[in-house]
Amino acid sequence: MELYEVMKTTFAARQFKVDPVSDETTYRILENARFAPSGGNRQGWHVIVIKDQAKRDALVPLVRSTMQRYRAQVNAGENPFNTIVPSQVTPEQIATTEVPASLIEGVLGAPLLLLVAVDLKVVASMDSELDRVGVISGASIYPFVWNILTAARNEGLGGTLTTFVTAHEPHVKELFGLPDDHALAALVPIGKPVKQLTKLRRNPVSSFTTVNTFNGEKFVG
């Protein structure tokens, strides 16, 4: 596929057909994704291909509890899990929020399920001493995850970058034998989308790009 077509049609697919994804296709996706950039070219990623159904099943309650909080906050008009505005949603509201089983099954029942972790020993967390949540470490892992998704799109597949299980990192680390110096980055379901979207809605460049300062004139090209 042409590069810009891949970029404009790689959407967040969460519902998949039952068609299997072969090991050969999975290897080809990772073979190309590995050329993603990372700090110092240290390539601190580790991918676990989850084939064990028991391990998938063990993730169900973890994903459900995260989705409950997410949906409860959305229902309350909040931006879920953000670190700037404190949530007003109560534990009781979260516990009683229903999550359609199809949402969980769409992710954990995908033909291909990848758990992506990053080795924190090789990540340059240059914002670690700032008084806010860290984001810079992601620069050494999320380009790789995005490469996985665009490579999948090139194979006629789809997927999405989810972070539902990261809220339960200790439990997931134990389940998959991840060492303490690794951090969970993403759970990526991949398969043939039930419906391939080709018209994605995104804000125009002028809505998020300015000249010289944050409040400078809009950049219109």
Side-chain angles (χ1 to χ4, degrees):
M1 295 179 65
E2 192 269 333
L3 175 60
Y4 283 170
E5 181 183 359
V6 170
M7 294 172 67
K8 290 182 176 181
T9 59
T10 302
F11 72 105
R14 297 184 178 87
Q15 298 293 328
F16 307 97
K17 297 180 179 180
V18 297
D19 308 43
V21 178
S22 69
D23 286 350
E24 291 76 15
T25 299
T26 301
Y27 188 91
R28 189 162 55 247
I29 288 171
L30 296 173
E31 166 70 15
N32 288 281
R34 68 190 176 94
F35 287 96
S38 61
N41 196 29
R42 297 183 184 94
Q43 305 168 60
W45 41 74
H46 186 96
V47 179
I48 297 175
V49 181
I50 306 176
K51 295 188 176 184
D52 186 345
Q53 186 59 49
K55 291 189 181 298
R56 290 184 179 225
D57 293 342
L59 292 175
V60 171
L62 307 184
V63 172
R64 179 184 293 113
S65 67
T66 304
M67 282 188 172
Q68 282 183 301
R69 176 177 168 181
Y70 188 97
R71 289 173 67 87
Q73 289 191 256
V74 169
N75 292 341
E78 299 179 353
N79 291 317
F81 288 91
N82 84 87
T83 60
I84 302 300
V85 181
S87 175
Q88 301 302 311
V89 175
T90 67
E92 291 74 22
Q93 287 175 296
I94 294 173
T96 56
T97 298
E98 294 186 3
V99 177
S102 60
L103 289 180
I104 300 174
E105 293 167 359
V107 173
L108 299 180
L112 173 61
L113 190 61
L114 305 177
L115 187 71
V116 183
V118 61
D119 184 349
L120 296 177
K121 299 191 305 297
V122 301
V123 170
S125 303
M126 295 183 181
D127 58 352
S128 61
E129 296 181 2
L130 297 181
D131 187 22
R132 62 161 173 75
V133 65
V135 298
I136 300 304
S137 301
S140 285
I141 186 62
Y142 291 117
F144 170 69
V145 178
W146 185 244
N147 264 13
I148 290 175
L149 291 170
T150 54
R153 176 71 185 105
N154 193 59
E155 296 285 342
L157 303 172
T160 189
L161 191 168
T162 79
T163 53
F164 295 118
V165 297
T166 56
H168 303 280
E169 184 176 82
H171 191 142
V172 179
K173 279 187 171 183
E174 181 178 357
L175 181 63
F176 292 95
L178 282 171
D180 291 339
D181 54 17
H182 279 60
L184 292 180
L187 182 67
V188 184
I190 293 174
K192 188 75 172 179
V194 170
K195 181 180 180 180
Q196 174 61 52
L197 302 183
T198 57
K199 299 292 184 181
L200 307 185
R201 292 178 294 174
R202 298 292 186 268
N203 295 330
V205 172
S206 60
S207 71
F208 58 81
T209 309
T210 55
V211 179
N212 292 327
T213 66
F214 187 89
N215 293 314
E217 63 179 281
K218 294 182 181 298
F219 180 74
V220 295

